[in-house]
Amino acid sequence: MNQSVVNVNQNNISPKITNPRWERWKAFYKQMKKNKMAMVGGYIILFYILVALFGPLFAPHDPLEIDLLNKLQPPSIEHWMGTDDKGRDVLSRVIYGSQLSLTVGVVSVLIGAFFGIMLGLISGYYGKWIDTVIMRIIDILLAFPGLLLALAIVSALGPSLINVMLAVGIFSIPTFARIVRGSTLATKKLEYIDAIRALGASDAKIIFVHILPNILSPIIVQGTLRLATAILTAAGLSFLGMGAQPPSPEWGAMLSSGRNFLWNAPHMATFPGLAIAIIVMGLNLFGDGLRDALDPRMKK
């Protein structure tokens, strides 16, 4: 009797092995799918990434090739987005410009996130006079409007795309620092942190192994939203002549060139402007969806 029961159990019961990490990803994706606008934003971002990676392989023309005989041509079969004042194909320049704009945005956010996370972790974990000094420096940076601070930095360093990345990265530091500091203050008071400290763990291990992984959600959300701000700010600096320099096919610089031909060749400014507006919209939509999916308070 007992033997038959054992056989039945062995034949009919098979333990289900699940991967906790995979289950978390599935739950995250289901939560994101509920937000249709966030999915739209994700598809927009994916499209721009694919264009930046593979678009130059299919660009119809050289973005720097000058053809004065065909300058200011309206959109046509040969030039889908028309040509600019020097006869260069606008579509090809927009495609190549996606590489520059996304690179500037990602590098700027990485710079701001790295230093902001370090300052926020140190300030929130150690507190006391260290927290006071760091937060006063952060308050000074926050006292200046972001674009104005970036403009001042680029003016001091000189106009170039690298200096734009540094400037946008610097003015992104305070936002990350304040978010990380607040999350660190809340996390370090939890009981498991006290237990780990009682076991003799070093401050570095507590900060980077036990605190940082548990506060990544707000950092990821802020990084996505900050990427939109970085792209927009970089385009604004290039529009003012402080960023990418001609003949670089950067969207802000293209807008600056096209503003002089709004009446007789509006396509010169329209298509780069749409490229900026759509990617910024996509990043904001996706960032809002990430916030809703990663915030436990938004889950039922």
Side-chain angles (χ1 to χ4, degrees), residues 189-231:
K189 296 177 182 179
L190 299 178
E191 293 181 355
Y192 81 93
I193 297 295
D194 295 332
I196 295 167
R197 188 182 294 112
L199 292 174
S202 63
D203 289 344
K205 183 175 181 180
I206 293 174
I207 291 173
F208 294 106
V209 177
H210 299 287
I211 293 181
L212 181 58
N214 288 296
I215 62 173
L216 283 179
S217 294
I219 296 175
I220 293 172
V221 173
Q222 182 59 37
T224 304
L225 297 173
R226 205 66 188 174
L227 183 57
T229 303
I231 292 175

Side-chain angles (χ1 to χ4, degrees), residues 104 108 146-151 154 164 167-169 171-172 226-240 243 250 252 276 280:
V104 171
S108 302
L147 182 59
L148 182 59
L149 178 61
L151 186 59
V154 174
V164 167
V168 178
F171 98 76
S172 298
R226 205 66 188 174
L227 183 57
T229 303
I231 292 175
L232 195 59
T233 304
L237 291 173
S238 296
F239 180 84
L240 297 174
E250 201 275 336
I276 296 172
V280 170

Side-chain angles (χ1 to χ4, degrees), residues 174-186:
T175 305
F176 284 101
R178 291 177 69 90
I179 290 175
V180 173
R181 174 183 177 269
S183 300
T184 303
L185 286 173

